[in-house]
Amino acid sequence: MRIVVLAGGISSERDVSILSGSKIAAALRSKGHQVVTIDPYMGYEQPLESIDSLFENNYDFTDNAVIKREAPDIEAVKKSRKNQSNVYFGDHVLDICRAADITFLGLHGGEGEDGTVQAVLKMNGIKYTGSDMLGAAIAMHKGVTKGIFINSNVPTPNSRLYKRDFMGKGYLDTWTSFPCVVKPCSAGSSVGVQIVATREQFVAAVGGSFRYDDDVLVEEYIKGREFSVGILGGKALPVIEIIPKKGWYDYENKYQSGATVEVCPAELDPAIAEKMQREAEHAFEVLRLKVYGRIDFLLDKNNNLFCLEANTLPGMTPLSLLPQEAAAAGIGYPELCEKIIELSLRK
């Protein structure tokens, strides 16, 4: 098959996406596919004489992909683009995607995961992997996700949504429970997330989160073990437990080698693991997701389960959770990539 892997983009998860895209492309090439890896924002900035030659030569921009300790400077990325237009898609991207059998979305966060890219691809008749525009948009906004969880009886921490436009004297006084977790509603990889213990810290954290998003979700802090459940074809994969060696599962602990211990299958009572898997499938369904994804959970000391959020384009780096869960189910990384394509072509 001819496959385009989109990776990069201009979200705070750009570096993660580039590494994911690099690994996806290498896996698909190992299975005999012709794969072009391209950044949807940067595009193909050289003169394009033949799209066929890009596939024949397996064009790839992701050499030496690494994830630094801090999220990338997106403004610097934008300034480095040769085409300084305000159009998201760079030169030739959609033409190259149209020439492929399918486009594999190796994007994370921002336009790549909020339904925007999915909508453009659909309108251009381009087949792509993963959830469609609706599911992606719903799951990307933590506030919308939270409302659906509550209305669908998915267990989730108590929370409140704050909007930048409503900020005024006394607005934040409605939250009185500490410690709590402050999250930008549409950022990924824990970018901008803070755990705070006092009102002063809370006010500062909400203000800081508005740098990333116009909407901020505040949740009660649940002390407990952290888990994730991958979904493939609507069915749950084995549960994985996430154990940071220090602190919590923030951006650095997610992507720096050795910072976190992951155990899969998780060491859980089988009944609790089964319940978590069924809740993950339920969350996947009510959020209108398709093909694959990942659902994150907390489990407190009394074995109460709390669903946090869904990831519609989960990481595919060497440290990512979904590939580890697939491996525990006997699905190798190249086979996982092909299975995602197979399921996506059916939707």
Side-chain angles (χ1 to χ4, degrees), residues 11-331:
S11 84
S12 57
E13 298 175 83
R14 174 180 172 81
D15 289 352
V16 184
S17 170
I18 291 173
L19 186 56
S20 283
S22 173
K23 300 304 178 183
I24 292 165
L28 291 171
R29 290 183 188 117
S30 76
K31 303 295 283 187
H33 302 287
Q34 292 184 325
V35 184
V36 168
T37 312
I38 193 165
D39 185 330
Y41 184 75
M42 292 298 183
Y44 187 78
E45 297 183 317
Q46 306 168 40
L48 181 59
E49 297 180 358
S50 169
I51 291 177
D52 289 342
S53 67
L54 293 181
F55 285 99
E56 290 164 4
N57 296 319
N58 287 303
Y59 171 78
D60 194 331
F61 80 98
T62 65
D63 292 344
N64 302 315
V66 295
I67 301 175
K68 299 177 182 177
R69 291 185 179 273
E70 297 181 353
D73 182 343
I74 297 304
E75 290 307 311
V77 172
K78 291 179 179 179
K79 289 177 182 177
S80 71
R81 185 193 199 189
K82 290 182 180 179
N83 177 356
Q84 286 289 297
S85 78
N86 60 358
V87 176
Y88 175 81
F89 281 96
D91 293 343
H92 308 299
V93 172
L94 294 177
D95 291 332
I96 295 169
C97 290
R98 271 191 289 265
D101 296 299
I102 193 168
T103 293
F104 199 117
L105 297 183
L107 300 166
H108 305 312
E111 294 86 352
E113 201 166 355
D114 68 4
T116 306
V117 166
Q118 289 84 348
V120 172
L121 296 180
K122 180 179 180 180
M123 291 176 70
N124 281 271
I126 296 167
K127 295 178 180 179
Y128 58 88
T129 56
S131 292
D132 60 19
M133 176 188 68
L134 177 61
I138 289 171
M140 188 63 181
H141 194 285
K142 295 179 178 66
V144 175
T145 293
K146 179 71 70 169
I148 292 174
F149 281 173
I150 292 169
N151 288 329
S152 302
N153 296 315
V154 176
T156 189
N158 293 325
S159 66
R160 185 177 177 88
L161 181 65
Y162 289 91
K163 293 179 173 291
R164 184 201 303 273
D165 292 345
F166 294 169
M167 285 297 289
K169 186 176 180 180
Y171 182 48
L172 297 182
D173 292 345
T174 51
W175 187 267
T176 59
S177 177
F178 299 97
C180 63
V181 184
V182 179
K183 305 176 177 181
C185 270
S186 296
S189 288
S190 299
V191 172
V193 176
Q194 296 185 60
I195 300 172
V196 299
T198 67
R199 173 154 296 281
E200 291 74 18
Q201 292 174 348
F202 166 70
V203 172
V206 172
S209 290
F210 281 134
R211 291 187 293 125
Y212 299 98
D213 204 313
D214 290 335
D215 297 341
V216 171
L217 185 72
V218 179
E219 283 184 333
E220 65 174 323
Y221 174 71
I222 306 295
K223 184 175 178 59
R225 298 163 68 188
E226 187 163 359
F227 301 88
S228 195
V229 181
I231 303 289
L232 186 63
K235 301 298 182 183
L237 294 169
V239 179
I240 189 168
E241 182 170 9
I242 305 150
I243 311 170
K245 292 183 178 177
K246 63 178 182 178
W248 56 285
Y249 198 47
D250 59 7
Y251 186 90
E252 182 174 340
N253 282 333
K254 276 180 166 74
Y255 302 117
Q256 297 304 312
S257 180
T260 300
V261 175
E262 287 110 8
V263 180
C264 189
E267 296 176 358
L268 278 172
D269 180 291
I272 295 173
E274 170 75 14
K275 181 180 180 181
M276 197 178 296
Q277 288 176 307
R278 299 295 79 78
E279 290 290 0
E281 292 170 354
H282 182 206
F284 190 85
E285 179 183 10
V286 300
L287 294 177
R288 306 294 192 269
L289 304 185
K290 296 180 180 179
V291 182
Y292 76 118
R294 208 189 72 233
I295 314 295
D296 296 338
F297 291 91
L298 287 171
L299 185 71
D300 71 12
K301 63 181 180 181
N302 297 317
N303 289 329
N304 295 311
L305 196 62
F306 298 88
C307 187
L308 298 178
E309 61 183 79
N311 300 270
T312 59
L313 292 177
M316 296 286 283
T317 75
L319 298 181
S320 294
L321 305 177
L322 183 74
Q324 294 186 59
E325 295 177 72
I331 305 170

